[in-house]
Amino acid sequence: MRPSVIKQVAVTSLREYLRTPEAIFWTYGFPLVMAVVLGIAFSSSEPGAVRVVIPETSQAAFADLLEKDNGRVEIEVRPADAAERALSMGEFDLLLQGSREDPSLRIDPRRPGSELARFHLERLLAGESETAGPRIEAVTEPGARYIDFLIPGLVGLNLLGAGMFGVGGNLVQMRTRHLLRRLTVTPMRRSEFLLGFVSSRVLLSLPAPFVIILFGWLAFDVPLRGSILTVFLLTLLGALSFSGLGLLVASRVRTVEGLSGVANMVMMPMWLLGGSFFSNERFPEVLQPLVQAMPLTHLNDAYRDVMLGGESLGSALLPMLILVVIGLISFVVALRIFRWK
Amino acid sequence: MSDAAAGSAIELRQLTKVYKAKEGDVRAIDALDLQVERGEIFGLLGPNGAGKTSTVEICEGLEEPTSGEVRILGRSWGEDSQGIRERIGVSLQETKFFEKLTVLELLELFASFYAKPMPLPELLALVGLEEKATQRYQNLSGGQCQRLAVACALIGYPDLLFLDEPTTGLDPQSRMRLWEVISSFREGGGTLLLTTHYMEEAATLCDRLMIIDHGRCIALGSPKQLIAELGAGHVVSLEAPGIGERLQAAELSSLASVRESTSLGDELNLTVEEPHVALPAILSLLREKNIELAGLSTRHVSLDDVFVHHTGRHLRDEEPRK
């Protein structure tokens, strides 16, 4: 392999990226917008009221509830069939019917808000005041809020996207433009090209995580308690691992549409189960092997341990090892099956 | 003779390429033999889908033949692919380079692949892109893109150059500029395999050419030879509804100076030695048969007539695609 060729390929790829403003937006703008929107959405200290619907037929029975001003419970009256429909559409958390003495509640037990609605409504039906019971304190200190959970997750997602589209998307585009096959009829070695290209994309994905972390700190006081060097190492390994995955995803597909299909197949489960937006520790037992097999899970956990828990390099070794192994396997398989034509 | 110079530039023996398809296998190349000598400008002429590109891409090592033997500059792809790649230059039919890179940057990239690349100012002058050196690829015209593609093919001083339809879709002026580049490559002693479906391009540029159709060679020789093989220097083309069915081949070829007739439905082509002798005879036959002509033209025999002679079809495809 000739370093001069690897360098020239990398420089080409860097130039192409830096001259594409929309690529820069998707790397930097998108995660920041997401952080702001989700950060604000989840930062209100008061949770929203639960919503209850009463069919007109039962309106008279619960007249006393309707007259009271219930801070935690919002009640509306609808015609019977409309009430049923609104419940199934998720407009309401709970449907209350029957008589005052023998009320019956209809809920969808699979919906997270249902139990909360039931809790508040039962207290209301029993005539308990809202302030009764143990005193409640809201968690507001940095490091324990939702935004603190979210920022490391966004960093992980950012690296995943960079691997899938930065590496995978660009390679497929070069394939559809016949550029890959044009390059393979020169004395350029394929390994020189892939090394130059992937290293440029890894280099390009390094700054964004720090921009997101810096933004989290400035805008929401999200702490960075561990060493920034450990964060850097994690970022580097995460970028390498996801580049391998991107290479694998792009290794056979012939069209950009094909790539977005395969990339979504890889990304969607990770968005849902990778622990970026919500903790995946309490997902059902059957899903856990899948959760644990995802590189994003380990990367997110490691970021959180280092940023929020202040853990040192030592505790991140296992996730790093997992990232390296997944990355290596992807690279090796991708190189075997890679289609240059 | 050194090892590098041994052997023909291209040697194909019984080359066959079969593509698997749901509707049955497609025989893109059918037992093709081809030998291109060093220093030759060799043309592959044929309509779209004739097997030109498949043949070229097998020579370039991009496709594997189904069967048959391929030797490029005396080597086979299996033995010494790297050695071949260092000595060939390629311009594929449809390549789009990096959009955001400038002409100079793209050439720098390709230059880095070769041990001794052509100095870039020299290369830019050769293809006439000096003034576009700092323009991005996305802002180039079709002709400029093609010249850049040819520049990338020439950058490593190739012994053997492959140009696959380099002028398809170009305006006449851009086409002429590319012809100039090819001519200067010929003067340097290089070998060129060119595919085209423009017959005048093949006639102007090529020392020898092969006309292929359905993956088979239907004619091989210098443009002059191929035209001479028709045995007559002119074509008289008659147009009238259903004229092909209304006149018998035998009565036509018995006319003075007419060598052969080819019916194309509403068009009838006669190869003719001396038009001034043949025309009166043709016209009196038409009067006799009560055939009213919609059109009549005479021209010198071209490669298209060679193609018509062998296949009963026109090369057509004169208009640029897309």
Side-chain angles (χ1 to χ4, degrees):
Chain A
M1 274 196 273
R2 297 163 292 178
S4 59
V5 178
I6 297 168
K7 190 192 120 199
Q8 198 63 44
V9 171
V11 167
T12 298
S13 155
L14 289 174
R15 281 175 173 150
E16 187 78 354
Y17 173 84
L18 294 172
R19 293 171 192 175
T20 311
E22 58 272 33
I24 297 173
F25 170 77
W26 287 110
T27 323
Y28 293 94
F30 180 64
L32 295 187
V33 169
M34 195 120 109
V36 171
V37 170
L38 290 175
I40 290 170
F42 287 94
S43 69
S44 63
S45 47
E46 290 290 311
V50 301
R51 294 180 39 83
V52 172
V53 65
I54 299 179
E56 262 171 2
T57 42
S58 307
Q59 185 177 8
F62 301 105
D64 60 321
L65 298 187
L66 287 165
E67 277 156 27
K68 258 195 266 174
D69 178 26
N70 310 295
R72 284 285 156 77
V73 184
E74 256 173 38
I75 304 177
E76 272 183 44
V77 177
R78 296 270 174 99
D81 54 338
E84 195 68 44
R85 204 169 339 116
L87 177 72
S88 64
M89 297 294 284
E91 195 183 330
F92 295 96
D93 300 305
L94 186 150
L95 185 146
L96 175 63
Q97 57 192 7
S99 64
R100 190 71 179 85
E101 292 72 36
D102 183 21
S104 91
L105 313 181
R106 277 176 63 80
I107 58 172
D108 178 354
R110 284 159 305 183
R111 216 181 286 154
S114 301
E115 286 299 321
L116 187 66
R118 181 181 148 198
F119 167 76
H120 284 300
L121 195 72
E122 276 176 356
R123 287 180 56 162
L124 196 65
L125 287 168
E128 284 175 22
S129 100
E130 271 170 43
T131 49
R135 198 154 44 81
I136 296 188
E137 279 173 33
V139 175
T140 53
E141 69 269 25
R145 303 155 306 166
Y146 179 68
I147 187 75
D148 302 306
F149 181 85
L150 181 67
I151 290 286
L154 287 179
V155 170
L157 274 190
N158 183 267
L159 287 175
L160 174 65
M164 288 294 148
F165 295 114
V167 173
N170 280 300
L171 280 176
V172 172
Q173 228 177 30
M174 285 184 234
R175 186 179 294 133
T176 60
R177 297 163 70 87
H178 299 262
L179 188 50
L180 284 183
R181 62 202 318 248
R182 175 64 185 90
L183 291 171
T184 58
V185 293
T186 70
M188 177 202 80
R189 285 170 186 83
R190 295 163 190 212
S191 51
E192 291 167 342
F193 173 79
L194 288 178
L195 206 67
F197 176 72
V198 169
S199 54
S200 76
R201 298 308 311 196
V202 167
L203 192 67
L204 285 173
S205 56
L206 294 181
F210 292 94
V211 171
I212 299 171
I213 291 170
L214 182 70
F215 175 82
W217 179 64
L218 291 175
F220 298 106
D221 267 334
V222 176
L224 171 56
R225 297 191 174 121
S227 145
I228 196 160
L229 217 65
T230 312
V231 172
F232 177 78
L233 212 60
L234 263 180
T235 306
L236 185 65
L237 291 178
L240 278 168
S241 191
F242 288 136
S243 296
L245 219 52
L247 194 65
L248 183 61
V249 159
S251 56
R252 300 294 296 171
V253 292
R254 293 174 200 265
T255 59
V256 175
E257 291 78 11
L259 176 83
S260 65
V262 184
N264 273 327
M265 205 177 74
V266 174
M267 289 175 74
M268 274 305 267
M270 290 216 238
W271 276 69
L272 292 172
L273 306 179
S276 277
F277 297 106
F278 24 79
S279 170
N280 53 15
E281 273 163 35
R282 277 181 292 173
F283 280 162
E285 206 61 37
V286 286
L287 286 179
Q288 284 305 325
L290 195 59
V291 165
Q292 292 306 316
M294 289 176 174
L296 185 60
T297 302
H298 300 284
L299 184 63
N300 283 344
D301 286 352
Y303 271 123
R304 290 193 183 112
D305 285 347
V306 174
M307 286 174 62
L308 311 178
E311 303 271 3
S312 63
L313 184 63
S315 78
L317 282 181
L318 183 64
M320 284 182 183
L321 186 71
I322 293 171
L323 288 173
V324 168
V325 168
I326 290 176
L328 268 181
I329 293 174
S330 312
F331 268 113
V332 169
V333 175
L335 290 184
R336 290 250 155 141
I337 63 171
F338 198 84
R339 193 199 293 272
W340 291 88
K341 291 162 191 171
Chain B
M1 202 183 269
S2 74
D3 175 54
S8 301
I10 300 174
E11 237 180 310
L12 305 179
R13 294 269 163 274
Q14 292 294 298
L15 185 72
T16 300
K17 177 76 186 178
V18 179
Y19 291 103
K20 304 262 175 229
K22 276 183 201 138
E23 313 80 50
D25 296 349
V26 179
R27 218 163 248 274
I29 308 171
D30 198 358
L32 194 73
D33 288 318
L34 170 67
Q35 185 148 346
V36 177
E37 297 306 334
R38 293 187 187 235
E40 250 190 316
I41 307 290
F42 192 93
L44 280 178
L45 181 67
N48 283 328
K52 300 183 303 263
T53 295
S54 296
T55 306
V56 172
E57 292 191 344
I58 288 172
C59 292
E60 292 162 350
L62 279 170
E63 294 279 344
E64 295 265 337
T66 309
S67 65
E69 206 186 312
V70 180
R71 295 191 79 77
I72 302 298
L73 301 166
R75 305 144 206 250
S76 80
W77 277 102
E79 289 163 16
D80 187 13
S81 58
Q82 196 64 22
I84 298 176
R85 285 195 187 102
E86 278 162 13
R87 292 188 157 71
I88 63 171
V90 170
S91 168
L92 300 175
Q93 207 176 105
E94 283 168 32
T95 305
K96 297 196 189 90
F97 293 103
F98 296 96
E99 292 277 328
K100 314 272 176 180
L101 260 67
T102 68
V103 169
L104 203 59
E105 288 165 346
L106 281 165
L107 290 176
E108 275 168 11
L109 174 68
F110 277 83
S112 76
F113 304 154
Y114 295 87
K116 266 201 208 129
M118 196 183 291
L120 298 188
E122 190 184 319
L123 184 59
L124 284 168
L126 180 65
V127 298
L129 284 176
E130 302 103 314
E131 281 166 24
K132 296 285 165 187
T134 55
Q135 286 277 312
R136 287 189 187 179
Y137 182 71
Q138 59 187 2
N139 298 330
L140 298 184
S141 70
Q144 290 160 351
C145 286
Q146 269 308 339
R147 273 184 276 151
L148 177 64
V150 172
C152 290
L154 289 171
I155 206 164
Y157 293 112
D159 294 332
L160 172 59
L161 184 63
F162 294 95
L163 301 180
D164 194 357
E165 299 198 358
T167 61
T168 296
L170 297 190
D171 58 88
Q173 209 177 353
S174 304
R175 206 181 295 177
M176 293 299 280
R177 298 210 62 160
L178 262 178
W179 287 6
E180 285 164 20
V181 176
I182 291 169
S183 297
S184 73
F185 175 72
R186 176 215 297 265
E187 279 153 27
T191 311
L192 168 64
L193 181 66
L194 171 87
T195 77
T196 180
H197 52 207
Y198 297 124
M199 49 190 174
E200 73 279 18
E201 181 164 291
T204 311
L205 292 175
C206 298
D207 300 320
R208 277 200 309 147
L209 55 95
M210 181 187 272
I211 302 182
I212 61 174
D213 191 38
H214 296 125
R216 258 174 280 184
C217 166
I218 58 174
L220 173 69
S222 72
K224 271 191 188 143
Q225 268 173 340
L226 291 177
I227 289 167
E229 270 170 25
L230 289 187
H234 299 266
V235 171
V236 175
S237 181
L238 309 172
E239 280 173 64
I243 189 168
E245 286 127 45
R246 294 165 68 186
L247 288 173
Q248 300 302 313
E251 45 190 345
L252 285 165
S253 44
S254 66
L255 295 174
S257 196
V258 174
R259 292 291 297 248
E260 203 185 52
S261 68
T262 313
S263 156
L264 296 159
D266 294 340
E267 187 187 331
L268 192 68
N269 285 352
L270 304 172
T271 42
V272 161
E273 281 160 41
E274 292 171 300
H276 66 277
V277 177
L279 274 172
I282 294 169
L283 292 173
S284 73
L285 177 67
L286 291 171
R287 240 190 325 272
E288 212 173 284
K289 297 267 172 183
N290 249 335
I291 295 173
E292 192 124 333
L293 280 185
L296 182 149
S297 60
T298 71
R299 59 177 186 273
H300 285 283
V301 166
S302 72
L303 288 171
D304 185 45
D305 298 307
V306 177
F307 189 79
V308 171
H309 169 75
H310 286 281
T311 65
R313 290 182 286 125
H314 276 300
L315 258 172
R316 295 249 188 228
D317 257 334
E318 276 306 286
E319 68 284 12
R321 281 177 298 166
K322 265 164 265 168

